[in-house]
Amino acid sequence: MEYVQERITTLHDFGDATPDAPTDRATVVVPMTDREYRTPAAERVLSTLADIDPARVIVALRTEPANVGAFDAWLGAFDPVETLWCGGPRVRELLAEHGLDGARGKGRDVWLALGVAALDTEYVVIHDADATSYSSGHVPRLLAPLDGEFGFVKGYYARVERNQLFGRLFRLFYVPLVRALAQRHDAAILGYLDAFRYALAGEVALTADLARQLRVSREWGLEIDTLGAAFDAVGFAGTAQVDLGTHVHDHRDVGGSAGLAAMSRAVGAAVFRAIEEHGVEPAYETLPARYETAAKTLVEQYAADAAHNGLDYDRVAERDQVAQYAAAIDSPGADTRLPAWADTSLDPEHFRRAAQADLESVD
């Protein structure tokens, strides 16, 4: 047990207490694709949410039309879930009318759901549906600080399973990248990005006002986009991180179009956009080498930690990942993020009606 405080307020788990929380004034947003359909992890998440009974649960669904009916029927067994199909023809047409059509991915799905969530409730919780360790305490622990002086809350947790350390994209890419940048640039945004114990955790809670201010990458990078907006809106003083214990998640391969190496490019681009907007100008030509130096130091620290705890640890595999991630470091390119809901002409209620009509047309 430890009680160390960081630059942002750190709320520990000293005994598995569940604090009082405004669950009745909150919407929980859960993005899903075909990979979550009827999985034990997703069913555990949904049945647990039914017991918690927030004001609303929105599943931001991305799947093909042929699968929508079965997906919605399955989700309908879990009250109070609202299926928000993000890929129907009316939705696509409506987004095109407002100049918002384009690449589809997790970020786009969550952004659409945030617009709807912020219509009727004061608070929003976002989390995935792939944690087999999901607990009824997670949502209340994330929400409780919002009912006080905080405007943004992020979960953190250990990723240890199968006798190994996971959380590889965070450990081996994000942390050394931010540290390499901070060695050259004394900027508050870098201190903020470095203050989180698990900056890539998908479990967050925020006010509806902040949800309306998010600019979101369409595919990966959502977690960093959220941090950048939170830094501007509430800063260090208005941010908290909450201990959610140990999480067991699905794992991705390093390679492939949906692997960690591909994700690292999007995460890196999101980091670079966030810091460039705050006046940091990275030296991209030297950054990969500086990142690798920082990452190699961490590999040795992780190896020592693993040995101390009797865990398996493959230095060669970890260093190989570092080399792959280094190749992904480059300037962020064109900014294709979706605008903040507060800055768009799209009415979220019109979007919700279009999504409902699309869903009814396939049921």
Side-chain angles (χ1 to χ4, degrees):
M1 181 185 295
E2 53 81 24
Y3 35 77
V4 176
Q5 287 296 323
E6 314 286 354
R7 289 193 67 184
I8 56 175
T9 300
T10 301
L11 305 177
H12 300 84
D13 182 358
F14 293 144
D16 202 29
T18 300
D20 292 334
T23 53
D24 60 331
R25 288 142 49 204
T27 295
V28 180
V29 171
V30 185
M32 285 194 187
T33 64
D34 291 329
R35 63 183 289 178
E36 283 83 35
Y37 180 59
R38 290 190 176 278
T39 63
E43 296 212 343
R44 177 188 177 103
V45 166
L46 292 170
S47 59
T48 301
L49 285 173
D51 292 337
I52 297 169
D53 195 27
R56 186 170 50 185
V57 176
I58 295 177
V59 169
L61 177 62
R62 177 161 36 94
T63 188
E64 295 303 314
N67 302 331
V68 172
F71 222 126
D72 184 46
W74 169 60
L75 293 172
F78 302 95
D79 186 60
V81 171
E82 175 184 343
T83 304
L84 199 68
W85 183 29
C86 300
R90 295 170 183 82
V91 166
R92 295 199 304 270
E93 182 179 354
L94 182 62
L95 292 176
E97 288 175 4
H98 291 268
L100 298 171
D101 203 14
R104 305 173 199 170
K106 177 182 177 181
R108 173 185 176 273
D109 299 342
V110 170
W111 180 82
L112 289 169
L114 286 175
V116 175
L119 283 173
D120 305 322
T121 53
E122 295 178 57
Y123 308 119
V124 183
V125 175
I126 308 169
H127 65 63
D128 295 328
D130 62 350
T132 58
S133 55
Y134 189 73
S135 163
S136 60
H138 288 173
V139 167
R141 290 183 68 80
L142 288 165
L143 277 173
L146 295 182
D147 208 20
E149 66 269 35
F150 300 101
F152 177 69
V153 182
K154 194 169 187 71
Y156 71 88
Y157 39 79
R159 295 289 306 277
V160 181
E161 58 182 288
R162 301 193 301 218
N163 209 48
Q164 300 174 62
L165 296 174
F166 282 92
R168 295 160 293 171
L169 192 61
F170 174 68
R171 290 191 298 107
L172 298 173
F173 179 66
Y174 179 89
V175 173
L177 177 62
V178 171
R179 290 186 181 180
L181 288 163
Q183 287 172 359
R184 289 284 185 92
H185 306 278
D186 183 17
I189 182 64
L190 286 167
Y192 188 79
L193 295 178
D194 194 39
F196 293 89
R197 294 188 171 189
Y198 200 158
L200 299 186
E203 291 74 13
V204 300
L206 60 163
T207 63
D209 286 342
L210 178 54
R212 296 185 191 97
Q213 296 177 49
L214 294 184
R215 293 196 66 198
V216 172
S217 301
R218 291 174 174 274
E219 296 176 272
W220 296 311
L222 167 68
E223 292 79 12
I224 309 304
D225 298 330
T226 306
L227 296 183
F231 175 73
D232 289 334
V234 302
F236 288 93
T239 299
Q241 58 183 343
V242 175
D243 185 354
L244 298 181
T246 299
H247 266 31
V248 179
H249 280 256
D250 291 339
H251 303 291
R252 295 179 184 268
D253 294 332
V254 178
S257 60
L260 296 179
M263 291 178 68
S264 70
R265 294 183 182 275
V267 170
V271 169
F272 299 141
R273 274 192 293 268
I275 65 175
E276 286 181 358
E277 287 178 348
H278 292 85
V280 178
E281 299 180 1
Y284 291 110
E285 66 279 3
T286 63
L287 183 55
R290 290 185 284 116
Y291 152 76
E292 286 199 80
T293 298
K296 287 175 181 176
T297 298
L298 281 166
V299 166
E300 294 307 311
Q301 292 176 323
Y302 296 137
D305 202 2
H308 187 73
N309 287 281
L311 302 178
D312 300 325
Y313 190 80
D314 188 338
R315 278 187 176 88
V316 173
E318 298 260 299
R319 289 171 181 156
D320 179 65
Q321 284 188 56
V322 167
Q324 293 185 64
Y325 297 150
I329 295 174
D330 200 356
S331 57
D335 187 355
T336 60
R337 286 176 297 174
L338 290 153
W341 274 101
D343 298 330
T344 180
S345 60
L346 177 61
D347 183 340
E349 182 59 43
H350 291 168
F351 160 67
R352 174 158 62 180
R353 292 172 188 166
Q356 290 172 340
D358 281 337
L359 187 63
E360 291 168 0
S361 70
V362 298
D363 284 348

